[in-house]
Amino acid sequence: MTPIRVLIADDQIMVRQGFTVLLNAEPGIEVIGQAVDGLDAVAQVAELAPDVVLMDVRMPRLGGIEATRQLTEPAGATVKVLVLTTFDLDEYVYEALRAGASGFLLKDASAAELAQAVRVVAAGDALLAPNITKRLIAEFSRVTSSPRTPLKDRVGDLTERETEVLALIAQGLSNGEIAERLVVAEQTVKSHVGRILVKLGLRDRTQAAVFAYETGLIRPAGY
């Protein structure tokens, strides 16, 4: 089985080395490089083609948000970005999600959490557990700009059921929980999620949740 190839981008050498040791000890994961800042990360991704980048936000020369955007925006981009942060509600994390990150990871995560995060994102899923999604995205919507009209118009492309599923994704429900709520098979929900992502041109359910809040489909509690 081909190991998941990881690049670690952080301007603190102890963080890079610590995560490298932890991940290399995990079966099926291999750290193939370390980048000292965003510019270095972009260059190394082009050269090494990792599956996942662990990206710090605050770095010299080029920060993690812009580096994430440069890595995920190009057509055909396949690398997944996990944002590293010290705070679970750091405002920069929200901007990183908008830039294309697949999720975020706290720097004090355990070895098991770190490895699981890499595996989840490498598999194409978003690293936002259901119990975190609602709080994170609700806060995100408060500190970002107003809905973008072009995106809002595209909600009309979704069927009534797809719109319902999208709203439940934004509320932090897993596929299994959505299936139970709608009294349908979990595979049916997976199919709906897949069509939602394709129709809206989104990478994963993290961006789908952000989309739901940005377009006003879901409003944060109290707003």
Side-chain angles (χ1 to χ4, degrees), residues 143-165:
V143 300
T144 53
S145 58
S146 58
R148 293 169 286 177
T149 302
L151 285 179
K152 188 173 184 179
D153 291 342
R154 290 164 61 192
V155 175
D157 294 337
L158 301 181
T159 65
E160 183 176 346
R161 177 46 62 92
E162 287 166 354
T163 301
E164 187 176 11
V165 170

Side-chain angles (χ1 to χ4, degrees), residues 2-7 32 49-53 78-81 121-122:
T2 303
I4 299 170
R5 294 158 53 85
V6 178
L7 175 72
I32 61 171
D51 302 304
V52 177
V53 176
T78 59
V79 66
K80 303 298 193 302
V81 177
V121 171

Side-chain angles (χ1 to χ4, degrees), residues 44-167:
Q44 289 202 44
V45 167
E47 178 183 356
L48 302 175
D51 302 304
V52 177
V53 176
L54 297 185
M55 183 80 73
D56 188 24
V57 172
R58 301 181 180 96
M59 294 184 290
R61 296 204 300 168
L62 184 68
I65 295 174
E66 181 56 31
T68 296
R69 184 175 292 110
Q70 291 185 23
L71 292 175
T72 61
E73 277 191 350
T78 59
V79 66
K80 303 298 193 302
V81 177
L82 261 177
V83 174
L84 296 172
T85 181
T86 305
F87 306 103
D88 62 350
L89 286 181
D90 185 332
E91 65 179 280
Y92 292 102
V93 172
Y94 316 137
E95 293 303 321
L97 293 176
R98 169 171 282 171
S102 293
F104 75 97
L105 183 69
L106 296 181
K107 286 188 176 181
D108 62 357
S110 68
E113 290 170 336
L114 177 62
Q116 177 64 12
V118 169
R119 293 189 177 102
V120 166
V121 171
D125 294 325
L127 188 73
L128 288 179
N131 66 328
I132 295 175
T133 303
K134 186 175 182 180
R135 178 171 62 101
L136 175 67
I137 304 301
E139 184 67 16
F140 166 81
S141 67
R142 295 187 184 109
V143 300
T144 53
S145 58
S146 58
R148 293 169 286 177
T149 302
L151 285 179
K152 188 173 184 179
D153 291 342
R154 290 164 61 192
V155 175
D157 294 337
L158 301 181
T159 65
E160 183 176 346
R161 177 46 62 92
E162 287 166 354
T163 301
E164 187 176 11
V165 170
L166 175 59

